[in-house]
Amino acid sequence: MNEDERYMATALSLAELGRGQTSPNPLVGAVIVRNGEIVGQGAHLKAGGPHAEVHALRMAGSLAEGATAYVTLEPCSHFGRTPPCADALVAAKVSRVVVAALDPNPAVQGEGVRRLRAAGLEVVTGVLEQEAQVQNEAYLTWRALNRPFVVWKCAATLDGYIATANGDSRYVTSPEARESVHALRRQHPAIAVGVGTVLADNPQLTVRLRGRALDAAQPLRVVFDSQLRTPPVAALFEQPGQVRLYASAGTGLDASEFAARKARLEEQGASIRLVEAGDDGRVSLAAALRDLAQDGFTSVLVESGPRVAGTLLGADLVDKVVYYIAPKLLGSGRSAVEGRAVDRMAEALQLKRMTVSQVGPDLRVEGYIAQADASVERGGGSVVYRPD
């Protein structure tokens, strides 16, 4: 690495401090360097809070004058909940700004860089750009596709079953793997399942990490439930945080019964969103994802059963897979995916950019769906996410 890359790598590490806390904002880290020494550093830690550049400039104080600022994402150029960071850098009399990736936010889109250059600052872009784009893959996908970045998590036996034939699934994987899943949940603003999972497993869908108190700062719990079959006594409603159910009126259920179910669930604190039905007569998962995106949910962790998983995979709505494999053999049971049948091996979905690790006795396989791994382009034609 050259000097710019080394300091940018530090800024990228700082950005990780905000993971799971900044949605719908991106992860951003910043470092201020003067005469070869870091004099200020910061990260965007929470949506609505100070941006990374502001934290770094406050730490640097007067030492920011004539220094170089390293920022993982283009400094903002507009007034939102905080003032423009581009203006703050100019006011601090920084002489040089190094940017990893440009921001596809329509309110920015190169304007931050243009404003810095217009003020006479030297600006360098594209330093560790790919690393910055991967770090903000959720934000960039949300901006480009108007839906959250979708991660499908699954836990299965070595022969591909998520439960026995009679539905017993406690527990497929080890305590270490389940602890890993809770850490994964913390990285996403929403967790989603189908109503079948609620009826079969009665999950809590909360982040429960050892040594960390269970508080209201929980991901949104989402249930795809066309006919509102979620029981009002479900464990979902006993946990801190919010529950949202996606339903489709007119899916074969009597209108008065649908209204009664809706009222009972709303009494338990559930938010009910009605969306269009898909070709199968159930909730359109694409429509539900668009609705989540409109509310600023940049990513969603799907922990569903085989039907929802198959529907999402068949519609090319899964970006990343996190798959836990337990060293167990059942011989028969419930498969991980249903409803996506192919006749030829060449039609199988392929994972790319894979990593494999061991968690306790289990294996954890992560990878990106090949279709979702292509470059994503906005209407203007500029590529905002190129993961390869």
Side-chain angles (χ1 to χ4, degrees):
M1 283 188 173
N2 59 36
E3 185 176 80
D4 281 349
E5 290 171 338
R6 287 198 303 272
Y7 288 125
M8 188 61 74
T10 299
L12 287 167
S13 296
L14 287 166
E16 286 296 322
L17 295 173
R19 186 166 292 281
Q21 303 164 182
T22 64
S23 184
N25 294 346
L27 296 169
V28 184
V31 173
I32 310 295
V33 177
R34 178 169 174 166
N35 297 328
E37 293 186 7
I38 295 177
V39 296
Q41 58 186 9
H44 182 44
L45 299 175
K46 184 179 179 181
H51 289 188
E53 299 94 319
V54 172
H55 283 301
L57 289 171
R58 286 174 180 172
M59 180 181 291
S62 62
L63 294 177
E65 184 173 351
T68 296
Y70 295 86
V71 188
T72 60
L73 196 69
E74 179 182 10
C76 62
S77 55
H78 64 290
F79 281 89
R81 284 184 281 186
T82 60
C85 290
D87 291 356
L89 290 166
V90 172
K93 298 182 180 179
V94 168
S95 63
R96 182 171 180 260
V97 179
V98 180
V99 177
L102 299 182
D103 188 347
N105 183 347
V108 186
Q109 285 189 316
E111 181 57 33
V113 167
R114 286 191 290 271
R115 186 173 296 192
L116 292 171
R117 285 175 172 157
L121 279 68
E122 178 189 352
V123 180
V124 178
T125 63
V127 175
L128 298 189
E129 180 180 26
Q130 182 172 340
E131 290 84 346
Q133 289 178 332
V134 171
Q135 182 176 69
N136 270 311
E137 59 194 2
Y139 173 76
L140 297 176
T141 298
W142 174 66
R143 284 288 183 195
L145 299 182
N146 191 33
R147 66 160 174 80
F149 184 80
V150 177
V151 178
W152 174 49
K153 167 259 165 184
C154 183
T157 61
L158 194 59
D159 49 354
Y161 297 113
I162 63 171
T164 63
N166 65 5
D168 180 37
S169 61
R170 297 200 176 180
Y171 288 103
V172 176
T173 53
S174 64
E176 294 92 338
R178 298 198 296 276
E179 180 79 4
S180 170
V181 170
H182 284 285
L184 179 63
R185 287 177 176 178
R186 189 179 178 276
Q187 298 176 15
H188 299 277
I191 304 172
V193 297
V195 66
T197 297
V198 174
L199 295 174
D201 299 336
N202 194 25
Q204 299 177 57
L205 299 182
T206 52
V207 176
R208 303 184 301 279
L209 290 167
R210 282 177 291 183
R212 177 184 171 91
L214 184 67
D215 54 31
Q218 291 286 336
L220 175 73
R221 297 187 289 281
V222 175
V223 182
F224 305 121
D225 186 0
S226 300
Q227 295 186 339
L228 297 180
R229 294 188 293 146
T230 298
V233 295
L236 292 167
F237 302 116
E238 300 173 0
Q239 310 303 315
Q242 299 180 331
V243 178
R244 178 181 297 185
L245 275 62
Y246 282 99
S248 296
T251 54
L253 188 67
D254 179 78
S256 61
E257 175 61 21
F258 186 89
R261 293 183 184 185
K262 182 173 181 289
R264 287 195 295 269
L265 290 167
E266 287 175 336
E267 287 176 1
Q268 298 302 312
S271 169
I272 311 295
R273 296 286 178 94
L274 299 181
V275 296
E276 64 193 69
D279 294 338
D280 59 1
R282 298 184 175 94
V283 164
S284 166
L285 300 184
L289 291 174
R290 285 195 299 271
D291 186 76
L292 285 168
Q294 289 172 6
D295 286 347
F297 291 91
T298 55
S299 68
V300 59
L301 177 65
V302 177
E303 299 191 38
S304 67
R307 188 194 63 79
V308 170
T311 301
L312 288 170
L313 289 166
D316 193 20
L317 291 174
V318 175
D319 299 290
K320 186 176 183 180
V321 175
V322 179
Y323 203 102
Y324 292 85
I325 304 173
K328 300 175 182 178
L329 297 169
L330 284 178
S332 65
R334 297 182 62 197
S335 298
V337 178
E338 293 177 0
R340 188 188 182 277
V342 298
D343 297 322
R344 299 166 53 236
M345 188 61 67
E347 298 175 89
L349 294 177
Q350 181 72 41
L351 292 188
K352 298 177 65 177
R353 295 167 52 217
M354 288 176 51
T355 59
V356 180
S357 58
Q358 186 166 349
V359 184
D362 307 309
L363 292 180
R364 171 172 162 151
V365 179
E366 297 184 45
Y368 294 79
I369 299 291
Q371 290 94 323
D373 205 33
S375 300
V376 173
E377 296 188 5
R378 293 183 57 80
S382 59
V383 175
V384 298
Y385 175 40
R386 189 191 303 276
D388 280 340

